[in-house]
Amino acid sequence: MALLEVTNIKKIYSTRFGGNKVQALSNVTFSIEKGEFVAIMGESGSGKTTLLNILASLDRPTSGEVLLEGKNIVHLTEKEISAFRRKNLGFVFQDFNLLDTFSLRDNIYLPLVLAGEDYREMEQKIRPIAQALCITELLDKYPYEVSGGQKQRISIARALSKHSPILVMDDSTSALDMETEHEIQKTLNSLKDTTKIIIAHRISAVCHADEIIYLQDGRIAERGTHEELLAKKGLYYDTYMAQYGGYLAS
């Protein structure tokens, strides 16, 4: 059985003043195995963020199922959803979500503090993660003292510190230079038991994914590996050519 199974997800929004209906997702179906790295791509308005929010239980679909280890998370109560997110999900947001009045170390510790973990255990968890992300020397600084790329590393460290089975990343390498992005990809690839789900615009962030899901108008237009999608010469191929002109350094 797959870790995560998404079946016939549909999402319809009403416009702000109640008149029109907008269908953000239509009959989206796929599954994710434990430890897989799955990327979601598509143009602006294709439904990427809506899908990610549903997978992360931040939003509910109009219809369809999202099964985590066979349990439908769509029908959980708000209390159950909060417990589900704490137990199963690590989030990395595009806008960092760091608290300026907390040191970077305390920003990483925050979810562990809320979970009631012992301080010494927190320190043991953080040390190898900080070393892997090259942020050990930054931990006593504050968010306003570091660059956007460094903030993103802190945000990633905070998510990894929970050792959640699923890591959800919302275009979280867009603020990074290519070298830093490459280092973070190596760190993510080393997390063999963690399932990674990422929204991304840059091909470089997704080319090593086990599967790439390309959305168009709320539907899955293409899916496959980097090599498979390039061979199809469809939407993904067009994005690749637009970004790199046919060349992408590995």
Side-chain angles (χ1 to χ4, degrees):
M1 181 175 64
L3 174 71
L4 191 67
E5 295 182 81
V6 178
T7 306
N8 294 327
I9 288 295
K10 180 187 291 185
K11 181 63 181 181
I12 299 174
Y13 291 104
S14 296
T15 54
R16 184 172 180 181
F17 297 104
N20 300 320
K21 303 286 187 181
V22 176
Q23 186 155 317
L25 294 172
S26 178
N27 298 322
V28 173
T29 297
F30 62 92
S31 62
I32 302 175
E33 301 293 335
K34 180 180 179 181
E36 273 194 314
F37 172 21
V38 174
I40 302 169
M41 295 192 75
E43 298 296 327
S44 179
S46 62
K48 300 186 304 296
T49 299
T50 299
L51 178 57
L52 191 72
N53 286 342
I54 289 172
L55 297 180
S57 69
L58 298 172
D59 197 1
R60 295 178 188 267
T62 303
S63 62
E65 292 186 330
V66 180
L67 303 182
L68 178 68
E69 295 183 325
K71 183 174 184 179
N72 193 349
I73 66 173
V74 170
H75 301 308
L76 298 179
T77 66
E78 291 301 322
K79 183 176 181 180
E80 289 172 331
I81 285 174
S82 295
F84 163 78
R85 285 198 292 261
R86 285 196 303 271
K87 178 182 178 182
N88 295 285
L89 301 177
F91 291 94
V92 184
F93 297 98
Q94 185 177 5
D95 57 0
F96 317 130
N97 280 17
L98 300 177
L99 300 175
D100 278 340
T101 55
F102 281 31
S103 70
L104 298 177
R105 185 191 308 276
D106 288 339
N107 267 283
I108 297 172
Y109 282 176
L110 184 58
L112 303 180
V113 171
L114 295 176
E117 293 203 18
D118 181 82
Y119 184 84
R120 288 166 296 184
E121 292 179 3
M122 287 189 263
E123 196 165 357
Q124 290 175 354
K125 281 185 177 181
I126 295 304
R127 190 178 300 116
I129 296 171
Q131 289 173 348
L133 292 172
C134 301
I135 56 173
T136 303
E137 304 303 319
L138 301 176
L139 295 181
D140 292 323
K141 294 181 180 292
Y142 286 80
Y144 55 82
E145 296 181 297
V146 299
S147 69
Q150 290 168 329
K151 288 178 185 177
Q152 196 58 284
R153 293 188 194 204
I154 297 298
S155 183
I156 291 169
R158 180 178 57 191
L160 293 178
S161 71
K162 294 175 61 180
H163 291 282
S164 302
I166 302 173
L167 182 64
V168 178
M169 305 175 71
D170 184 4
D171 202 19
S172 52
T173 59
S174 61
L176 307 177
D177 58 71
M178 297 291 284
E179 183 179 351
T180 303
E181 180 183 68
H182 185 64
E183 290 302 314
I184 287 175
Q185 289 298 336
K186 287 200 301 185
T187 300
L188 295 177
N189 290 340
S190 71
L191 304 172
K192 301 301 182 184
D193 292 329
T194 302
T195 303
K196 285 80 67 177
I197 304 172
I198 179 174
I199 279 183
H201 291 90
R202 294 201 309 215
I203 295 286
S204 59
V206 307
C207 61
H208 299 297
D210 296 303
E211 181 170 44
I212 301 162
I213 296 171
Y214 203 106
L215 297 180
Q216 183 181 47
D217 298 328
R219 299 175 181 271
I220 296 179
E222 298 175 356
R223 59 192 297 180
T225 64
H226 173 71
E227 292 77 14
E228 289 168 346
L229 294 182
L230 287 183
K232 288 182 179 179
K233 294 196 172 181
L235 296 169
Y236 182 83
Y237 175 84
D238 291 343
T239 302
Y240 170 73
M241 293 298 292
Q243 291 184 13
Y244 300 103
Y247 171 77
L248 174 61
S250 60

